[in-house]
Amino acid sequence: MDTNQLATQVADQLGDCRKLLVAFSGGLDSSVLLHLLAQQRPALQLRALHVHHGLSAFADDWAEHCERQCAAWGVALKVQRVRVDAREGGIEAAARAARYAAFGAMLQADEALITAQHLDDQSETFLLALKRGSGPAGLSSMAVRGALGDHALLRPLLGCSRRQLEAYAQQHRLSWIDDDSNRDPRFDRNFLRLQVLPLLNRRWPHFASAVARSASLCAEQEQLLDELLAEQLRSLLADDGSLAIDGLLSCSPARRFALLRRWIARFNVSMPSREQLQRLWEEVALSRADAEPQLQPGQYQIRRFRGRLYLLPPLAALRDIRLDWRGDAPLTLPDGLGRLISGEGEVQLRAPLASQRVSVRFGARGAVRIVGRAHSRPIKKLWQELGIAPWLRDRIPLIYYDEQLIAALGAFVCEAGLVPPDAQPWRLRWDKNNNREEQ
């Protein structure tokens, strides 16, 4: 493949995407990609992002190299520093997670992320999936066109070998970073790249192309299953993203697991193993009616409530939080729960006395008497009657005047918060626009 063919292939893979954020490590692959794209301006709106992991003593030098290169090519560059927690699945997985989180945060409206994985990377990804015992979804490896949240994710070099990229770089006299960690065989991907794939490619020169075909066939099978199961999956889903358990009871195990995988995939989280899916079904979906089961297969949890499964992000403990509030400005709530706004909204409370301190807390205890009820009820019973899921009960903002509970926003108003006749109510609105979970 000559230079013109490579440029044409990249242009074809872009489709109608014209606003691009390039993942620019400064290595060979991304340097070739950025150089190719820079030649296609002004038809393209181009930005680059370099993720500074801080894992190497040379990380600052690499960032400076990327700045010099982008300045020379007239491409706007953002260097984003991230923290990598190797305790979360190992350093490779943690670095990748941090990298893609940075990509997602940086993408602008109508902008596509474009990355430089190539044919040899596809072989590595396929073999890593094989090592994990993945099914067709994992063995599909990487697609030329995917998604990152609401944004397109493009990999236009996926059909090119590293040798072809090296030839292009030499022809155009490009300079690039050689990451010293790429020579460390302790990392699984490096072990494959340095010790396994060279043997396979010497024995079978077309091995990488054959792997790419196998990955493509697996992807076709997954797409077919997506199409065949789409209608049933839609029938099981509620607007809040929860999944009906009853609709899975009559399914064969193979069909049930395929539906569960597709439901979980909607949340862009790590996929549970087959053993974890079996536990999800037996220990969560089929647990006794009065239980509050949950499973945490990754950085999320799956819980059951009233015959439905819910997938939830990590939830911070809020019971000890107390926020004093005068109501003169919006109050930002913790853990992405949004904010409270005074002076507008459907919640109407009696105004606090001048001597009373207003606070917002979480996790009510004891018994309460609410407007419209003749008697007090234990708060746990009240939550059940109102149909509030267990994990949401400690995430509802509670309004207190001094030490007296006045209201649980969106759930109930206590008798102590009832607006007296002819009195002016205090209006409140809970703005959940920043809320992470709507279940």
Side-chain angles (χ1 to χ4, degrees):
M1 182 183 299
D2 61 27
T3 296
N4 291 333
Q5 289 177 313
L6 187 57
T8 300
Q9 174 178 301
V10 169
D12 290 343
Q13 297 291 359
L14 296 182
D16 57 359
C17 294
R18 289 296 175 265
K19 291 180 63 177
L20 303 175
L21 177 66
V22 184
F24 186 46
S25 69
L28 167 69
D29 316 335
S30 61
S31 296
V32 169
L33 177 61
L34 187 59
H35 185 267
L36 281 163
L37 295 172
Q39 312 312 306
Q40 299 184 35
R41 292 173 303 173
L44 301 178
Q45 297 181 45
L46 206 57
R47 298 191 305 139
L49 174 63
H50 176 78
V51 178
H52 187 304
H53 298 91
L55 297 175
S56 170
F58 304 104
D60 290 337
D61 295 337
W62 298 339
E64 291 175 4
H65 167 88
C66 292
E67 289 172 340
R68 289 193 300 271
Q69 192 66 83
C70 286
W73 292 343
V75 177
L77 173 71
K78 168 69 174 178
V79 176
Q80 183 64 50
R81 294 176 179 267
V82 298
R83 295 183 62 183
V84 178
D85 187 351
R87 296 172 298 179
E88 303 297 339
I91 196 165
E92 288 180 284
R96 183 184 186 279
R99 194 160 53 247
Y100 276 86
F103 296 154
M106 187 60 59
L107 283 162
Q108 299 175 353
D110 301 323
E111 193 171 44
L113 176 66
I114 185 164
T115 62
Q117 289 96 344
H118 51 74
L119 192 62
D120 300 73
D121 293 326
Q122 185 78 302
S123 294
E124 296 165 12
T125 302
F126 185 92
L127 291 175
L128 288 171
L130 195 65
K131 184 264 295 185
R132 292 192 299 267
S134 299
L139 295 175
S140 299
S141 302
M142 297 178 288
V144 171
R145 181 176 286 257
L148 182 63
D150 296 329
H151 299 267
L153 170 57
L154 309 177
R155 302 181 180 96
L157 299 181
L158 211 51
C160 306
S161 68
R162 180 177 175 84
R163 182 174 298 176
Q164 290 169 325
L165 300 184
E166 288 173 343
Y168 179 95
Q170 291 167 1
Q171 179 180 349
H172 292 273
R173 299 180 179 178
L174 303 184
S175 61
W176 62 86
I177 293 166
D178 184 14
D179 186 342
D180 56 310
S181 68
N182 288 336
R183 296 188 293 273
D184 188 346
R186 292 178 301 170
F187 299 123
D188 288 345
R189 189 173 287 274
N190 291 348
F191 169 70
L192 291 174
R193 181 182 303 139
L194 298 172
Q195 300 185 17
V196 176
L197 284 170
L199 289 174
L200 295 175
N201 288 324
R202 281 198 295 272
R203 176 77 178 192
W204 301 296
H206 301 295
F207 180 78
S209 297
V211 166
R213 285 196 299 274
S214 293
S216 179
L217 290 171
C218 289
E220 286 182 11
Q221 295 298 311
E222 281 298 290
Q223 182 179 348
L224 177 59
L225 276 176
D226 287 343
E227 295 172 2
L228 294 174
L229 295 174
E231 183 176 350
Q232 184 179 4
L233 182 60
R234 280 195 298 269
S235 72
L236 299 176
L237 286 171
D239 291 341
D240 60 7
S242 64
L243 189 74
I245 295 171
D246 283 350
L248 299 172
L249 293 172
S250 61
C251 295
S252 68
R255 189 181 189 93
R256 182 185 306 128
F257 287 148
L259 286 164
L260 286 171
R261 288 190 182 98
R262 278 154 181 79
W263 171 63
I264 293 170
R266 293 168 57 87
F267 297 89
N268 294 316
V269 296
S270 60
M271 189 60 61
S273 66
R274 183 176 181 83
E275 291 74 20
Q276 288 173 322
L277 281 177
Q278 188 70 41
R279 288 184 57 200
L280 166 61
W281 182 246
E282 294 176 354
E283 299 176 17
V284 180
L286 299 183
S287 63
R288 69 182 192 275
D290 61 344
E292 295 182 4
Q294 61 179 288
L295 181 72
Q296 186 162 332
Q299 295 301 303
Y300 60 94
Q301 56 182 249
I302 299 176
R303 302 184 67 161
R304 189 197 68 190
F305 181 64
R306 295 193 170 181
R308 305 192 70 85
L309 294 174
Y310 294 81
L311 192 147
L312 308 170
L315 304 177
L318 304 178
R319 273 185 172 266
D320 295 332
I321 291 178
R322 171 177 172 153
L323 305 172
D324 291 325
W325 188 37
R326 294 186 299 177
D328 53 350
L331 178 68
T332 300
L333 300 173
D335 206 34
L337 288 176
R339 58 181 186 160
L340 301 186
I341 299 173
S342 175
E344 59 182 70
E346 297 182 355
V347 178
Q348 299 186 39
L349 308 176
R350 74 165 176 86
L353 301 176
S355 62
Q356 290 180 315
R357 296 182 62 182
V358 178
S359 62
V360 178
R361 310 180 196 182
F362 301 88
R365 301 172 178 83
V368 295
R369 185 170 179 176
I370 68 173
V371 172
R373 300 288 182 93
H375 304 285
S376 297
R377 294 282 286 161
I379 188 66
K380 183 177 181 179
K381 296 290 186 183
L382 189 57
W383 290 135
Q384 293 171 350
E385 292 173 12
L386 295 173
I388 307 295
W391 58 90
L392 294 181
R393 296 169 189 175
D394 287 351
R395 301 178 67 75
I396 294 177
L398 307 175
I399 303 297
Y400 276 79
Y401 295 171
D402 291 332
E403 297 304 313
Q404 186 172 40
L405 177 62
I406 298 298
L409 296 188
F412 59 79
V413 174
C414 299
E415 278 201 341
L418 186 63
V419 181
D422 301 324
Q424 189 71 19
W426 182 28
R427 293 182 177 273
L428 292 177
R429 178 164 67 89
W430 181 8
D431 180 3
K432 301 181 184 181
N433 287 338
N434 296 324
N435 200 359
R436 295 183 308 166
E437 25 78 39
E438 297 291 336
Q439 289 91 351

